[in-house]
Each structure stands twice: as structure tokens, then as C-alpha cells.
Amino acid sequence: MLAARAQRNGKTEADGSESTEMDKGSESTQAAILVAVRVRPFSAEEQAQLAKPEGQQFGPTARNLASYTEAAAEATKGGTIRRVVHAIDDHVVVFDPPDDSGAARSTVGASNKRARDVRFVFDRVYGEDATQRDVYEGTTRGLLDAVLGGYNATVFAYGATGCGKTYTISGGGGEAGVVGLAMQELYARIGASDAADVDVAVSYLEVYNETIRDLLAADTGRALALREDARQGVTVAGLSEHAPRGVDAVLALMARGNANRTMSATAANAVSSRSHAVLQVRVRQRARGGGLRTAETQATLSIIDLAGSERAAVARGSGARMREGANINRSLLALANCINALCAPTPRHVPYRDSKLTRLLKFSLGGNCRTVMITCVSPASTFFEETHSTLKYASRAKRIRTTVARNTKSAAAHVAQYQAIIRAQKAEIQRLTRIVEEGRAGPVRAV
């Protein structure tokens, strides 16, 4: 998490700037990571290779005699893929279920693993027919309440390559993803409120081969350094920030950053993300007409699209692609080690410094942040190993607890700012007077 952690700071600068004091200890609370699982649909290629139920594989039987045809039987031959994930309801997913015939397969492809029929319970489960809106409503929408209330929040997509992480986060095919839907609602809420002045700033970076790059900078190839201290937490030195005026401006920045992001084709995914991407939306709110000492909140929403883990035998990469895959797997292994340490029954050292990714996620996993993990999995048996490990780590992540606190800053104005404050208060009084006279808004809102 790149957002600075709030710390007490009563120091007044000699140059006449604002004196600030952060107050969050009285509002801190424990929160669990919300873990959701999304099962993507079969691709057209996978559909063509799906193994059919027994009655369709072995010719006419008493059970299928009415619908059996030679052409249909020919079309079902040679199926090598079967379903290994089944969403039972909104909270339960079954891994490696029995066949439709009721008998479990003894082995699954090259994995040579026996059917498990294991059930996992999560906060949310989305089946193959779930829409982008469904996923957003159940995972990310609640984080906007937290951010506008002054709490840091993070949502990240986790899973193997080719399982729909980038589609879930960024969208595609004319459907908005988590980013687009969240920005639409964020700006709608900002526009509907006139109680505070709100500033929004956006940054976008990627972690590629353990190198941090600014996706919105003029020179995207320049490597940036991580900085960490007790006051500001983890920050990226030299990372550019932009002030979009609306949803379209944010989406334009997102599209510009995605165009600069490292993408390559592999055997597992024709458009594979070769880097971890981190979009940060910082929201700063200051009450209007607050006088000489004004309460101010600042919170950051981080939306993270992790690169997918991959097996060399599946991706069939070589040269640069193989090195990228090795670095991706190394950083995801570091993330898995951090999850294991955070879930341990007794306190353990959490190896955040094993990877740039885990350093960036430090406060999302174990600090001042409300966090949502969207786990993307494939239902196809070709992803058997990846899906099993992904579900196991997602299940462990449910046990992680973070301590969240409201980031409130009390800002005392310098004497040089008094005239500007008086002018702002006069303008606010005039605005409220017009509302009362015109009778448009009913009771006057509290300032």
C-alpha cells in the first residue's frame, strides 16, 4: 500500500505553512480481508475440448436414446477437458467435483492427482454467469464508503494467468471493470455532495521484473525507487500524480497507462500481463466554511491487477518470456509467504522485503487499510494445479486481520490565510442564503 499512514504531527513549519495534527487512534478497529472468488467461463477452445457425460460418450443407452444421433456422438469424441470448479451458491465453491455420472475420475490429465471433491467457503463466490456489475457490487462498492469516510482501501485481483484478472479490473468487450464502475460512482457521490471541497489525484505504476515504472510519465522506462519511513509508510520516489476532472479523464489515464504496460502473448494467454499494475486514487476532503481550524480527511483507494502465476510447461515461454515468468512467480511466492506468516497462529516475521510487490502491499495486507481480494480461477482441468493452489491461498487470506483507522487531519490556518478564509466563508453564506430564498433545497444543510 503506497498511501501514507497517518501519524501524530503537531509541528508548525517556520515558513508559515499549515500546522496539522493527525487523529486516528480513537477510531481504529480490526477488519478482516474480504475474499471473493470468481470462476470465469470456458473459452471457445476449451468448450470444444470438453469431455461430455458418459451417456454422450458411449453411444445410445436407455438414458439418452431419445436424443442420441450419430452426428452428436461424433462431435463428443476426444474430449480431454473437464470441469474442476463448481460454484454451489454465493459462498461455497467445490474443487474437483465428481462427474455428472456420479463417479469421480481417478486422475486428471498430466497432474495425476485423484479427485478431491473439496469445498471452500468464501465471503463471496461468483459463477460463470456473473456480470462485472455483480462482482463490483459485492466487492468494491463498499470500499468507496470507506474511502469517502477517510479510510484507506485496496482491492486486488489474484490468480493464474488466463483466469480473467485484467478483465475483472479493467473490463473489456464494451463492459466496464472494477476501475470504471468505481470511478463512475465515486464522481457521482462527489458531485452530489456540497458539504466539502474534494480533490482527487491519480497515479499508475507497474512492477516489471522487480523494477518499478511510472506508466503515466513521459519516460516510462525510468526505474523508480521505493522509500519507507515511520511517518509516510511506503512511497515511490518520483511517481507522477494527475488531477482528473471526471470519470472520462480517469479512464483516459487508465488507457494511456495500459498502453505502456508490458504485455506479451504466451501459450496460456494471448494477451498476458507481464507485470503487476497498481492504480492509486487519492481522495482529499476539506469541509467548506470550516473556519481557522478545519477537519480534513485523506484516503487512498488502490486497485491492483497482479500478473498471473504460470507453469513453464503451460506457458511454453522461452528467453525473455521465461525470465518474466520466473520473476512473476518469485514475487507471487513472496506474497504467498507473507500470507502464510500473517495467518500463523503465533506471531512470525512477515517477509515483506522479499519482493517489491510485497513491499507495496505491506499496508494492504497488514496495516491501516480495508482490503478486498478477488480470486480469479478457471473451471478447466488444464488449470488443475494452479486453481487448487489459488483456492488454498485465498482461503488462508480470510484469516488476515488489518487495523483500520480514519485518516483525519486537523489543519490550523496561518495568519496570512485569514483573509482567504473570510472570503470563502462569505461566499458560502451567500450561497446558502440564495438556497433559502429560492426554496429549492428545503432545510439548510449543516456546514
Side-chain angles (χ1 to χ4, degrees):
M1 178 69 185
L2 306 183
R5 289 188 298 173
Q7 298 289 333
R8 294 190 179 275
N9 178 22
K11 181 179 179 181
T12 303
E13 300 293 340
D15 62 359
S17 61
E18 294 181 348
S19 158
T20 64
E21 181 176 353
M22 300 300 291
D23 179 17
K24 59 175 215 172
S26 61
E27 299 185 56
S28 63
T29 183
Q30 289 284 320
I33 290 182
L34 187 150
V35 180
V37 170
R38 186 179 195 181
V39 184
R40 70 159 173 82
F42 285 101
S43 66
E45 182 180 351
E46 290 167 342
Q47 286 279 7
Q49 299 180 52
L50 270 178
K52 303 302 187 293
E54 271 188 11
Q56 297 180 33
Q57 290 179 356
F58 301 113
T61 65
R63 185 177 299 175
N64 74 346
L65 184 60
S67 60
Y68 179 82
T69 64
E70 294 293 338
E74 188 65 27
T76 61
K77 288 182 178 179
T80 58
I81 294 177
R82 73 178 185 96
R83 182 185 300 277
V84 295
V85 175
H86 177 62
I88 293 182
D89 56 29
D90 294 340
H91 299 284
V92 181
V93 63
V94 178
F95 173 72
D96 201 8
D99 286 344
D100 293 339
S101 62
R105 295 268 182 118
S106 58
T107 61
V108 182
S111 66
N112 200 33
K113 296 290 181 70
R114 293 191 176 277
R116 291 179 171 85
D117 194 18
V118 180
R119 298 193 177 201
F120 293 91
V121 180
F122 296 99
D123 299 299
R124 305 280 191 279
V125 171
Y126 299 96
E128 299 166 40
D129 57 348
T131 65
Q132 296 281 71
R133 172 67 64 174
D134 293 335
V135 176
Y136 166 74
E137 294 279 352
T139 60
T140 311
R141 187 179 187 186
L143 295 183
L144 293 184
D145 296 326
V147 171
L148 291 173
Y151 296 91
N152 297 328
T154 295
V155 54
F156 67 95
Y158 175 78
T161 186
C163 290
K165 298 182 302 300
T166 300
Y167 173 75
T168 298
I169 295 296
S170 302
E175 285 195 83
V178 166
V179 172
L181 295 172
M183 293 304 100
Q184 290 173 17
E185 184 156 353
L186 175 64
Y187 277 96
R189 292 193 188 186
I190 291 174
S193 174
D194 57 3
D197 293 315
V198 183
D199 296 322
V200 177
V202 171
S203 62
Y204 197 21
L205 63 86
E206 74 169 359
V207 182
Y208 172 70
N209 284 348
E210 288 299 296
T211 300
I212 298 176
R213 304 195 301 193
D214 188 342
L215 293 175
L216 300 178
D219 180 13
T220 58
R222 184 167 66 94
L224 304 180
L226 277 176
R227 298 285 185 265
E228 182 175 358
D229 59 41
R231 180 184 176 187
Q232 292 187 318
V234 178
T235 59
V236 179
L239 181 65
S240 64
E241 277 197 342
H242 305 261
R245 295 295 183 182
V247 180
D248 292 339
V250 175
L251 296 182
L253 289 171
M254 187 81 175
R256 174 178 153 194
N258 287 337
N260 294 326
R261 189 178 176 188
T262 307
M263 311 282 282
S264 298
T266 68
N269 189 358
V271 187
S272 176
S273 304
R274 313 307 292 168
S275 65
H276 310 294
V278 181
L279 175 73
Q280 284 200 307
V281 182
R282 181 176 55 80
V283 180
R284 179 182 177 186
Q285 300 176 85
R286 184 176 184 135
R288 289 180 178 174
L292 302 182
R293 195 169 188 87
T294 305
E296 181 180 297
T297 62
Q298 179 172 307
T300 301
L301 172 64
S302 298
I303 304 177
I304 304 172
D305 177 16
L306 297 177
S309 60
E310 60 184 39
R311 285 184 293 154
V314 175
R316 296 199 293 273
S318 61
R321 300 291 83 79
M322 183 170 287
R323 287 193 296 274
E324 290 168 354
N327 281 309
I328 290 170
N329 290 339
R330 188 178 298 115
S331 61
L332 292 176
L333 176 61
L335 174 59
N337 290 337
C338 289
I339 291 175
N340 288 338
L342 288 166
C343 296
T346 56
R348 285 172 47 185
H349 167 68
V350 183
Y352 290 118
R353 288 186 171 271
D354 286 358
S355 167
K356 297 283 181 65
L357 172 66
T358 48
R359 288 186 68 189
L360 289 172
L361 288 174
K362 179 176 180 179
F363 296 110
S364 297
L365 294 174
N368 174 25
C369 189
R370 297 186 187 274
T371 304
V372 171
M373 176 179 180
I374 303 177
T375 307
C376 299
V377 297
S378 166
S381 56
T382 48
F383 287 82
F384 186 92
E385 305 284 1
E386 293 89 340
T387 298
H388 188 217
S389 62
T390 298
L391 291 174
K392 285 195 301 182
Y393 280 113
S395 184
R396 291 176 188 173
K398 292 189 303 177
R399 300 198 295 269
I400 297 176
R401 296 291 185 272
T402 60
T403 301
V404 295
R406 192 172 187 223
N407 301 305
T408 303
K409 181 171 68 174
S410 180
H414 188 271
V415 65
Q417 298 173 300
Y418 286 4
Q419 290 184 348
I421 292 172
I422 292 171
R423 287 194 298 269
Q425 289 182 330
K426 284 183 176 180
E428 182 69 5
I429 291 170
Q430 292 172 357
R431 184 183 69 85
L432 295 174
T433 301
R434 286 196 302 271
I435 292 176
V436 172
E437 291 174 350
E438 296 172 6
R440 294 178 303 174
V444 180
R445 295 184 181 181
V447 178

